[in-house]
């Protein structure tokens, strides 16, 4: 079970990262027999099946470390995941080689794993505002940070009808503000978030945590 355990900047919050190497059969081992597999059975792609199983294994491991009885996952109509029977907040992200899961006992959060890719140069104007494009230019690391940050903010607030380009604004650090932050201004929801970036090999792991107004 190749786990990487990461603590981030808010106390009591944890991220568990799984290097995805096992087969579907191996990942199914040790999962509880009562687990709801209805979502899993609707997945056709083998990689997506592996990601689903690894995510449940991670959530089970996180609950065990946090002293929470793992009773499964439910999703609201927007697809945001929650722990059954617990008020703790969770988030999940998949990549080609890793699955990451986060938990916090009281603070909402969203996480995302992304790797800088040339494709970001071609699609930047579809998810970045003019100001964000001007700031990032053709820097793949910055483009990846912006994309991953918007994904993490999207997961934090869990609102489907959100345009990455028009509704989520990413604010890089300035001389008077040392941290990356984000503003969501969508028709039915507004909010702010702090952003934290970790490096995991050639990936960025982004954590978005809500700012209380």
């Amino acid at each position: 079970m190749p786990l990487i355990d990461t603590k981030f900047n808010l106390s009591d919050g944890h991220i568990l990262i799984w290097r995805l190497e096992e087969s579907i059969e191996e990942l199914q081992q040790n999962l509880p027999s009562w687990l709801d597999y209805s979502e899993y059975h609707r997945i056709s792609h083998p990689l997506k099946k592996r990601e689903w199983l690894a995510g449940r294994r991670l959530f089970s491991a996180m609950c065990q470390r946090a002293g929470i009885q793992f009773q499964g996952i439910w999703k609201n109509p927007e697809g945001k995941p929650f722990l059954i029977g617990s008020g703790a907040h969770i988030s999940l992200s998949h990549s080609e080689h890793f699955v990451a899961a986060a938990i916090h006992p009281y603070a909402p959060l969203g996480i995302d794993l992304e790797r800088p890719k040339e494709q970001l140069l071609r699609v930047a104007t579809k998810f970045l505002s003019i100001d964000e494009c001007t700031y990032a230019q053709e820097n793949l690391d910055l483009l990846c940070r912006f994309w991953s940050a918007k994904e993490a903010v999207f997961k934090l607030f869990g609102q489907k009808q959100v345009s990455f380009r028009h509704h989520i604004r990413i604010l890089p650090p300035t001389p008077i503000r040392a941290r990356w932050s984000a503003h969501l201004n969508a028709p039915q929801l507004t909010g702010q978030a702090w952003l934290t970036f970790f490096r995991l090999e050639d990936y960025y792991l982004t954590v978005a945590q809500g700012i209380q107004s």
Side-chain angles (χ1 to χ4, degrees), residues 45-75:
H45 197 289
L47 177 58
K48 298 298 183 184
K49 284 181 174 288
R50 291 169 64 213
E51 291 173 349
W52 190 95
L53 292 167
R56 271 56 189 176
R57 291 280 295 270
L58 280 176
F59 283 133
S60 179
M62 285 196 311
C63 286
Q64 184 176 12
R65 294 186 182 202
I68 299 171
Q69 182 181 1
F70 180 62
Q71 301 179 52
I73 305 296
W74 69 277
K75 294 183 179 180

Side-chain angles (χ1 to χ4, degrees), residues 132-147:
E132 291 165 342
C133 282
T134 301
Y135 185 92
Q137 297 292 321
E138 295 186 355
N139 185 312
L140 280 179
D141 277 346
L142 285 175
L143 289 171
C144 186
R145 282 195 183 207
F146 275 107
W147 172 254

Side-chain angles (χ1 to χ4, degrees), residues 87-139:
H89 296 269
I90 59 173
S91 186
L92 183 70
S93 183
H94 311 109
S95 74
E96 184 179 358
H97 301 293
F98 297 99
V99 177
I103 188 170
H104 199 285
Y106 57 84
L109 76 170
I111 65 169
D112 187 66
L113 268 173
E114 299 290 344
R115 183 171 59 182
K117 296 179 291 190
E118 293 289 332
Q119 181 185 5
L120 292 171
L121 294 169
R122 298 193 298 273
V123 301
T125 56
K126 295 183 179 180
F127 69 89
L128 296 184
S129 67
I130 294 175
D131 289 344
E132 291 165 342
C133 282
T134 301
Y135 185 92
Q137 297 292 321
E138 295 186 355
N139 185 312

